[in-house]
């Protein structure tokens, strides 16, 4: 164990090890289930055993997940926050999913007309390595990730490593659920790992807060089946 945050794979051989809770590993109890029940931040690693991300120092950098439905102004909030950093002579590092190129590849754009350049990532990229490569060229005070729902589970963990190992705050902005009401894999992992979560609110056409998004066809009819990812804007999606 070390100070700060902990990434600690727990193997079956760890039945006699102790965690933060005395008597956590008891004879006959699968240590994987013990960890998953005792630590809300625990998740199964690729090897099938729990890997814990535990916050011990609340003063450290944090992983933030700002989530919402469509057309809530997530990119606007991101761009404003990035501008605030630059205004204070601190350079942010912006990342965007390459799959969403509606504003042009390598750009984060808002519906109100502001935009900024960003490096892009695909599902195959190691985001920890990308941030390390960026830091080798120039300093960065904060990492911003747009369209975070397109992150893979592993990439969400990589961003957690950026926070914990590189001591940089990471702010992710993305959708929580798809048009079927199901979590995106990246969003689900961020909900599990984020130190702080914030809802970016928007309104339904009824005037109340929108909580879901529907996909519609060319005639305005709701679609209930199809691929989880389909890039589109107001012509395709409606927040309700």
């Amino acid at each position: 164990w070390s100070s700060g945050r902990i990434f600690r794979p727990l193997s079956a051989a760890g039945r006699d090890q102790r965690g933060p809770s005395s008597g956590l590993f008891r004879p006959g109890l699968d240590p994987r289930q013990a960890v998953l029940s005792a630590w809300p931040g625990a998740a199964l690693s690729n090897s099938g055993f729990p890997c814990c991300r535990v916050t011990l120092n609340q003063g450290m950098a944090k992983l933030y997940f700002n989530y919402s439905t469509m057309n809530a102004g997530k990119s606007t909030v991101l761009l404003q926050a990035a501008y605030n950093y630059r205004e204070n002579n601190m350079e942010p590092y912006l990342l965007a999913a390459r799959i969403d190129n509606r504003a042009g590849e390598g750009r984060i754009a808002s519906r109100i007309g502001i935009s900024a350049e960003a490096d892009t990532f695909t599902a195959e990229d190691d985001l920890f390595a990308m941030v390390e490569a960026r830091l080798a060229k120039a300093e960065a005070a904060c990492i911003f990730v747009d369209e975070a729902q397109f992150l893979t589970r592993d990439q969400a963990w990589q961003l957690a490593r950026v926070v914990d190992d590189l001591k940089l705050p990471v702010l992710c902005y993305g959708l929580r659920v798809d048009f079927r009401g199901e979590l995106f894999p990246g969003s689900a992992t961020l909900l599990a790992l984020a130190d702080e979560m914030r809802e970016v609110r928007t309104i339904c056409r009824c005037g109340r807060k929108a909580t879901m998004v529907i996909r519609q066809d060319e005639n305005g009819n709701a679609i209930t089946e199809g691929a989880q990812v389909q890039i589109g804007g107001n012509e395709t999606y409606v927040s309700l």
Side-chain angles (χ1 to χ4, degrees), residues 114-189:
I114 58 176
S115 64
E117 292 184 358
D119 280 352
T120 60
F121 64 87
T122 67
E124 289 72 37
D125 288 319
D126 183 330
L127 299 189
F128 185 85
M130 287 184 66
V131 173
E132 277 196 315
R134 169 63 167 76
L135 294 176
K137 298 176 182 177
E139 292 184 359
C142 184
I143 313 300
F144 288 91
V145 182
D146 196 32
E147 304 296 349
Q149 71 272 11
F150 295 133
L151 294 168
T152 66
R153 180 183 182 277
D154 287 343
Q155 286 174 331
W157 275 99
Q158 290 158 13
L159 292 175
R161 282 192 61 208
V162 169
V163 173
D164 298 335
D165 295 353
L166 303 181
K167 315 305 183 199
L168 288 174
V170 176
L171 287 81
C172 299
Y173 299 77
L175 299 175
R176 182 174 59 92
V177 297
D178 63 17
F179 71 104
R180 299 167 298 183
E182 298 180 3
L183 288 166
F184 288 93
S187 300
T189 310

Side-chain angles (χ1 to χ4, degrees), residues 147-238:
E147 304 296 349
Q149 71 272 11
F150 295 133
L151 294 168
T152 66
R153 180 183 182 277
D154 287 343
Q155 286 174 331
W157 275 99
Q158 290 158 13
L159 292 175
R161 282 192 61 208
V162 169
V163 173
D164 298 335
D165 295 353
L166 303 181
K167 315 305 183 199
L168 288 174
V170 176
L171 287 81
C172 299
Y173 299 77
L175 299 175
R176 182 174 59 92
V177 297
D178 63 17
F179 71 104
R180 299 167 298 183
E182 298 180 3
L183 288 166
F184 288 93
S187 300
T189 310
L190 287 173
L191 287 169
L193 298 180
D195 299 298
E196 292 191 20
M197 293 174 284
R198 302 168 180 170
E199 183 179 18
V200 182
R201 299 186 178 187
T202 190
I203 58 172
C204 170
R205 55 193 176 193
C206 70
R208 298 180 180 180
K209 186 184 79 168
T211 59
M212 304 294 290
V213 62
I214 64 167
R215 181 185 294 171
Q216 59 185 7
D217 61 20
E218 61 276 6
N219 298 316
N221 300 312
I223 299 174
T224 58
E225 296 181 355
Q228 184 175 54
V229 176
Q230 178 179 318
I231 304 302
N234 293 342
E235 77 289 350
T236 307
Y237 295 99
V238 178

